Amino acid sequence: DQQVKQNSPSLSVQEGRISILNCDYTNSMFDYFLWYKKYPAEGPTFLISISSIKDKNEDGRFTVFLNKSAKHLSLHIVPSQPGDSAVYFCAASPVIQGAQKLVFGQGTRLTINP
Amino acid sequence: SQTIHQWPATLVQPVGSPLSLECTVEGTSNPNLYWYRQAAGRGLQLLFYSVGIGQISSEVPQNLSASRPQDRQFILSSKKLLLSDSGFYLCAWSPQAFGQPQHFGDGTRLSIL
């Protein structure tokens, strides 16, 4: 049972344009959502997060949108740069005491073309 | 600032051999600690987490175990490795407070022959 899905395994975008990565989830108990970026042979790097009380969060070139009714979140990168080429994972966690039990999507490989 | 160290970076082990992967965090105290595995072409799967010394929670039944002998040390072990234990193992930490992201080490690529 895939609770967090990234349906696009790959995405190719021209440098300077907007990159939009999508993520869907099924568990209505998820309350905290994150995006991570991963280069080969490295651990994921945290990019941006959003809690369910918000529908948008911005940090520089990165914006995350959350649509709770559709159980959908997206990451916008504007403008896209060659260094953004990586695998992007969305993750979600329910509200619980103690540790976060993150559930990850399968990842989307983003390629930024010069 | 906080840093997380994970070693070794790569490991090749024969089937049936033991395993010990170590993870340490610096620059913080009383962190939550996590072990994940990433199979080829898949997302990360949470294996274990710990909210304190000696407190371990397992998320999936498996051939592995975890221990937290010190506040900032998290160890992943196996007595006898299986072929299916191959994968990319990642350690992560987060503050105790809710709404703070997890931060990952650089992982260990484990190959079982």
Side-chain angles (χ1 to χ4, degrees), chain B residues 34-110:
Chain B
Y34 311 84
W35 278 110
Y36 289 85
R37 177 170 56 205
Q38 183 184 17
R42 307 286 295 275
L44 282 70
Q45 182 183 36
L46 179 62
L47 302 177
F48 300 95
Y49 66 90
S50 172
V51 299
I53 296 174
Q55 300 180 60
I56 308 294
S57 297
S58 174
E59 282 299 290
V60 292
Q62 60 201 298
N63 182 43
L64 302 167
S65 62
S67 61
R68 184 172 178 173
Q70 299 179 46
D71 181 45
R72 290 169 289 176
Q73 184 185 30
F74 206 23
I75 298 172
L76 185 68
S77 304
S78 174
K79 292 181 180 177
K80 280 188 175 183
L81 285 167
L82 306 172
L83 283 173
S84 57
D85 292 324
S86 292
F88 191 48
Y89 289 84
L90 289 150
C91 181
W93 77 275
S94 71
Q96 290 277 347
F98 180 75
Q100 298 297 314
Q102 293 180 26
H103 300 278
F104 287 81
D106 281 337
T108 295
R109 173 74 58 193
L110 176 64

Side-chain angles (χ1 to χ4, degrees), chain A residues 18-100:
Chain A
I18 183 172
S19 295
I20 300 176
L21 297 104
N22 293 303
C23 181
D24 297 296
Y25 62 96
T26 57
N27 190 340
S28 57
M29 297 301 292
F30 287 151
D31 193 72
Y32 180 54
F33 304 88
L34 309 91
W35 283 95
Y36 286 85
K37 172 182 179 180
K38 186 181 181 301
Y39 294 118
E42 293 184 9
T45 301
F46 168 71
L47 278 176
I48 193 168
S49 63
I50 188 167
S51 74
S52 61
I53 62 173
K54 292 185 171 183
D55 54 20
K56 177 182 174 181
N57 189 26
E58 283 183 85
D59 184 1
R61 296 187 298 116
F62 302 93
T63 303
V64 56
F65 295 92
L66 175 63
N67 182 333
K68 283 194 70 178
S69 60
K71 294 190 175 66
H72 178 84
L73 68 155
S74 61
L75 175 68
H76 293 209
I77 306 174
V78 178
S80 299
Q81 299 173 354
D84 296 329
S85 295
V87 177
Y88 288 78
F89 291 96
C90 67
S93 173
V95 180
I96 55 166
Q97 295 283 347
Q100 299 166 358

